[in-house]
Amino acid sequence: MALLTCDNVSFAYEDQIVAKQLSFQINEGDYLCIVGENGTGKSTLIKGLLGLKKPYKGTITTADGLRATEIGYVPQQTAAQKDFPASVYEVVLSGCLNSRGLLPGYSKADREKAMKQMQLLGIEELKYKSYRDLSGGQQRRVLLARSLCATKKMLLLDEPMTGLDPVAVAEFYQLLWKLNKNHKITIVMVSHDIREAIEHADYMLHLSHEEYFFGKTEEYKTSNIGRKFWGGLDND
């Protein structure tokens, strides 16, 4: 079942056309990594899938019963966000805000959901710690738990591993793999780590200034655009 469908989509960013004429589907249970050169519209596409940016051309449609506000989102983290003065529990719980609508405060179900996601990601013991005092890897887990409070179906992540050490990167990829395979969460992630992306993703979307590739990871590895971009890594 297709959760998201892009039909001949292009985006304009700073008077430049990026992510040109994209047509693809994201189905329930997919694990898709978006890769490519800088300036090709990867982050812009993520914002488009979230409904935060309108396409310059083409259409993006979601499955019945899936609203953009019900898609979990882990954005690129800024320096200001790293110093956010709130407890881990408060940050995770804020992921329930979209589902609250105009209702004030949080319900008992919201609080139970926040605890459930913290337990799932192994950060329940950090509940009362300040978010800004955590390591980079711990902060990413907190943001992931927050995004899981907003969705039951799909997570969109924009370069979530930036600035992490190799051990934290490997642990985070393993977390995403478990969420996808064991909990049936659809994963769509922008990544610069091509080796890890190829190892974990089922599908690849490669954006470039001239063309794009969308298909299964095994097909990407043997495609011209894929071999040119990551060529030889499997022979290291």
Side-chain angles (χ1 to χ4, degrees):
M1 172 182 164
L3 293 179
L4 275 168
T5 301
C6 288
D7 185 11
N8 201 32
V9 169
S10 298
F11 287 97
Y13 180 72
E14 293 184 352
D15 298 324
Q16 297 291 324
I17 304 298
V18 295
K20 302 174 184 177
Q21 298 179 319
L22 303 178
S23 293
F24 63 92
Q25 287 186 340
I26 301 170
N27 294 312
E28 193 168 355
D30 283 353
Y31 188 150
L32 168 68
C33 272
I34 303 172
V35 299
E37 296 84 349
N38 291 333
T40 53
K42 299 184 295 296
S43 294
T44 301
L45 174 59
I46 289 289
K47 292 176 182 177
L49 297 181
L50 287 164
L52 301 176
K53 185 173 181 63
K54 291 184 178 180
Y56 175 72
K57 290 183 178 179
T59 58
I60 299 174
T61 55
T62 58
D64 291 341
L66 178 67
R67 295 177 295 178
T69 55
E70 296 173 325
I71 299 174
Y73 178 41
V74 180
Q76 295 183 30
Q77 190 168 216
T78 65
Q81 290 169 331
K82 291 178 182 179
D83 288 331
F84 193 64
S87 71
V88 167
Y89 180 60
E90 289 171 326
V91 173
V92 175
L93 188 58
S94 68
C96 298
L97 282 175
N98 281 338
S99 63
R100 297 297 297 158
L102 298 177
L103 296 175
Y106 295 103
S107 67
K108 179 181 178 181
D110 292 333
R111 298 180 187 282
E112 290 175 347
K113 182 190 295 185
M115 285 304 303
K116 178 182 178 182
Q117 303 308 340
M118 287 192 291
Q119 290 166 0
L120 177 64
L121 298 183
I123 56 172
E124 66 272 22
E125 75 279 2
L126 303 176
K127 179 178 179 180
Y128 297 114
K129 285 188 174 294
S130 174
Y131 177 79
R132 62 185 176 188
D133 292 335
L134 303 180
S135 69
Q138 289 172 329
Q139 287 186 342
R140 299 311 196 282
R141 285 179 180 246
V142 172
L143 294 179
L144 187 55
R146 179 185 185 278
S147 68
L148 286 172
C149 283
T151 187
K152 295 179 180 177
K153 294 184 178 181
M154 176 181 283
L155 286 176
L156 269 58
L157 306 98
D158 191 357
E159 299 183 32
M161 279 69 129
T162 300
L164 297 185
D165 63 64
V167 172
V169 167
E171 289 178 348
F172 199 83
Y173 267 105
Q174 190 63 25
L175 275 176
L176 294 180
W177 187 87
K178 289 180 178 178
L179 289 172
N180 177 249
K181 302 307 178 187
N182 298 341
H183 299 275
K184 309 305 179 185
I185 300 292
T186 301
I187 304 292
V188 180
M189 176 173 59
V190 173
S191 177
H192 281 302
D193 192 336
I194 188 67
R195 188 191 296 274
E196 292 284 0
I198 285 176
E199 180 178 344
H200 291 90
D202 301 316
Y203 292 88
M204 301 291 291
L205 174 59
H206 183 124
L207 304 182
S208 76
H209 296 287
E210 294 81 27
E211 58 182 330
Y212 77 94
F213 172 94
F214 174 78
K216 293 184 177 180
T217 302
E218 289 305 311
E219 297 170 348
Y220 174 72
K221 290 168 68 175
T222 59
S223 69
N224 289 334
I225 192 171
R227 294 178 67 179
K228 180 180 179 181
F229 191 63
W230 76 286
L233 285 182
D234 59 343
N235 297 319
D236 286 353

